[in-house]
Amino acid sequence: MDWMPALEAHGMIYVSPREAGNEAIVFDRRMPLALHAAHGIAARYPVDPERVFVGGFSGGSRTALRVALAYPDVFRGALLNAGSDAIGSTRLTAPPADLMRLFQTTVRLAYVTGAHDLPNRRADAASQRSM
């Protein structure tokens, strides 16, 4: 709820799924819910497709990165709050070359990690280098 004033000030719509925490399977639940949310909001509101972002916190941030990497035609950015992975690591494999090119030319990433969260800051640095 702390994000609501900032989102409203910029005319942004925020969607958050239920029962999609870290215990939920990424490919079976979390990723499909992100796609469903993007499609559902675009069907109800006049959404600029260049301003559709996915985001998350910690494990949700890692999921958001996977979603943005897999669907650069749907999401133009990702807000990665205290969690990211490097492409080529055991956690995140590179997509096919054509998707990777589209991702690199159309998707913006915002890494948001606390100054004292050293493990996630190191992971963010490795992730940024790999992109």
Side-chain angles (χ1 to χ4, degrees), residues 105-116:
T105 58
T106 63
V107 176
R108 294 169 286 178
L109 300 177
Y111 293 84
V112 182
T113 301
H116 300 292

Side-chain angles (χ1 to χ4, degrees), residues 10-125:
H10 294 282
M12 298 177 82
I13 298 170
Y14 171 83
V15 179
S16 180
R18 289 187 181 165
E19 299 178 25
N22 288 341
E23 68 286 345
I25 298 173
V26 171
F27 296 105
D28 289 350
R29 177 129 179 101
R30 297 174 96 180
M31 289 178 79
L33 285 172
L35 291 166
H36 181 70
H39 177 75
I41 290 300
R44 289 186 164 144
Y45 298 96
V47 173
D48 179 351
E50 297 300 315
R51 295 185 66 205
V52 177
F53 290 75
V54 62
F57 173 72
S58 189
S61 177
R62 288 178 167 82
T63 298
L65 179 56
R66 282 161 181 69
V67 171
L69 195 56
Y71 298 97
D73 55 326
V74 176
F75 298 98
R76 292 298 186 262
L79 176 63
L80 309 176
N81 190 343
S84 62
D85 292 313
I87 294 177
S89 68
T90 57
R91 291 181 166 201
L92 187 62
T93 59
D98 58 335
L99 271 182
M100 187 64 190
R101 265 190 304 283
L102 184 60
F103 173 83
Q104 289 176 320
T105 58
T106 63
V107 176
R108 294 169 286 178
L109 300 177
Y111 293 84
V112 182
T113 301
H116 300 292
D117 186 354
L118 297 181
N120 279 321
R121 289 179 63 84
R122 284 191 289 273
D124 287 353

